[in-house]
Amino acid sequence: TAKFNFIILIADGKWGLACNKVNKVVTLSPDEVRWRQQAGKRPWLAGTVLEQMCSILDINELIKQLET
């Protein structure tokens, strides 16, 4: 059984994103994000921030994917 230290709850707690650790918390401004222009194969991916090596999730689209 996997053990996780952190769970980020979404959809009023119906779903959760689990991880073992959080390296750091960063504050981003919208102009730092490379926003996706089209949904493509991953509609839950709203954009990326290359300097931070992270992805920005569209939580509503992620929930739609989980519920199908």
Side-chain angles (χ1 to χ4, degrees), residues 18 30 32 36 40 49 57 64:
E32 294 177 88
R36 292 194 64 177
V49 182
L57 303 179
K64 285 181 192 176

Side-chain angles (χ1 to χ4, degrees), residues 42-61:
R42 294 173 288 223
W44 48 264
L45 180 62
T48 55
V49 182
L50 297 178
E51 294 81 19
Q52 299 292 334
M53 296 292 291
C54 67
S55 299
I56 307 298
L57 303 179
D58 181 330
I59 295 300
N60 291 327
E61 288 296 327

Side-chain angles (χ1 to χ4, degrees), residues 11-26:
D12 295 325
K14 183 176 180 180
W15 298 98
L17 303 171
C19 65
N20 291 322
K21 70 179 186 174
V22 175
N23 287 336
K24 63 181 176 176
V25 176
V26 296

